[in-house]
Amino acid sequence: MRRRHLTETWLVLGVSLGSSAIYALLRIVDRLTRPEALSQQTATMNSSVTPDRPWLDVAFQLVGIALALVPVALALHLLRRDDPAEPHTMGFDLRRPFQDLWRGAALAAVIGIPGLGLYLAAKALGLNTTVSAANLVGAAWFTVPILVLAAAQNAVLEETIMIGYLFRRWGQAGWGPWRVIATSALIRGTYHLYQGFGGFVGNVVMGLVFGWFYTRTKRVMPLVLAHTVLDVVAFVGYSLLKPHVGWL
């Protein structure tokens, strides 16, 4: 049973965030072997696919968001075989909306404010790229809604798999809580390496905090809300401030 659980987790990771981690490792090697310094490079996110045809770009963006959530459906399906109460068991539900909201907001503040400082410090030290967080067609009507949906998709994908699913399966495989927390956090940091070492460290810390929180509350929803807030601020804030703020 232990071996089956471990094999299952690596397969789920292989079709989701684990593959992102492998690509991110290759990307950081690529960046470090370029002539220009890491701090002079740009990591782009949320880019338009067909900027000259907004209607088709909307379709590409929505399909990308929907397909990115398929691993979430897979992970929940696998967990339901053992526990029909999922996703309620991991707390991925709306049963405690007010408690989840204030906890999520508090977590977003705890992670977001120091995280911005870490990004700026890492960039100044030459350890991080410039992260261009939103590159959709600026004047398109769908820019903000798509960025909000992308933020929610990232949050649901990462927190349900990296926390809710992996913590359950690795716990069933006999791993101790801190081994689970540390391994999940390191994988989280690794798939952000495409941004540079600041992105890696910041997301490892985020994974440690989120993992510790989950072991105490057994609720994923505050983590999903916190992550959504962080990404909405990053994506929409970048889109709105970039024309006016030089250091972005």
Side-chain angles (χ1 to χ4, degrees):
M1 184 65 72
R2 176 179 181 274
R3 184 174 180 179
R4 192 193 80 179
H5 286 324
L6 291 175
T7 299
E8 182 188 289
T9 59
W10 298 125
L11 290 173
V12 170
L13 284 171
V15 297
S16 59
L17 295 163
S19 62
S20 298
I22 294 171
Y23 279 119
L25 283 168
L26 293 174
R27 179 59 63 193
I28 194 64
V29 172
D30 168 48
R31 293 190 183 282
L32 292 173
T33 53
R34 292 182 188 179
E36 64 270 30
L38 187 62
S39 59
Q40 296 175 339
Q41 300 176 39
T42 300
T44 59
M45 304 166 63
N46 300 304
S47 299
S48 287
V49 180
T50 57
D52 57 327
R53 287 158 292 169
W55 62 271
L56 186 57
D57 202 24
V58 172
F60 270 111
Q61 302 298 332
L62 291 177
V63 167
I65 290 168
L67 291 179
L69 293 175
V70 172
V72 175
L74 172 62
L76 293 176
H77 170 75
L78 293 171
L79 289 178
R80 282 195 195 103
R81 294 185 309 181
D82 303 331
D83 182 1
E86 284 293 3
H88 299 308
T89 302
M90 70 169 67
F92 184 48
D93 55 45
L94 300 176
R95 294 181 176 184
R96 305 177 187 174
F98 299 110
Q99 183 184 70
D100 290 343
L101 277 172
W102 76 257
R103 285 179 167 178
L107 283 169
V110 167
I111 297 296
I113 296 172
L116 178 59
L118 176 62
Y119 164 71
L120 294 174
K123 185 178 172 184
L125 292 171
L127 299 174
N128 214 76
T129 62
T130 296
V131 178
S132 181
N135 298 278
L136 298 176
V137 179
W141 60 267
F142 60 83
T143 297
V144 171
I146 289 294
L147 291 175
V148 171
L149 287 175
Q153 172 254 296
N154 287 344
V156 171
L157 173 64
E158 294 188 39
E159 306 314 328
T160 56
I161 290 183
M162 297 308 301
I163 301 291
Y165 169 75
L166 289 180
F167 278 46
R168 172 69 61 80
R169 282 294 188 247
W170 284 344
Q172 291 172 330
W175 288 20
W178 280 106
R179 183 182 180 186
V180 173
I181 292 171
T183 305
S184 174
L186 285 172
I187 296 173
R188 186 190 294 259
T190 301
Y191 61 73
H192 285 91
L193 263 175
Y194 70 93
Q195 300 175 6
F197 297 105
F200 172 79
V201 172
N203 280 278
V204 167
V205 172
M206 178 176 172
L208 293 173
V209 173
F210 277 20
W212 171 83
F213 178 89
Y214 181 74
T215 60
R216 295 180 64 86
T217 66
K218 301 301 182 185
R219 287 197 62 77
V220 161
M221 187 56 73
L223 308 181
V224 171
L225 293 171
H227 196 147
T228 300
V229 169
L230 290 170
D231 280 6
V232 167
V233 171
F235 298 168
V236 178
Y238 182 92
S239 179
L240 297 176
L241 293 177
K242 177 59 177 174
H244 313 288
V245 180
W247 53 266
L248 286 175

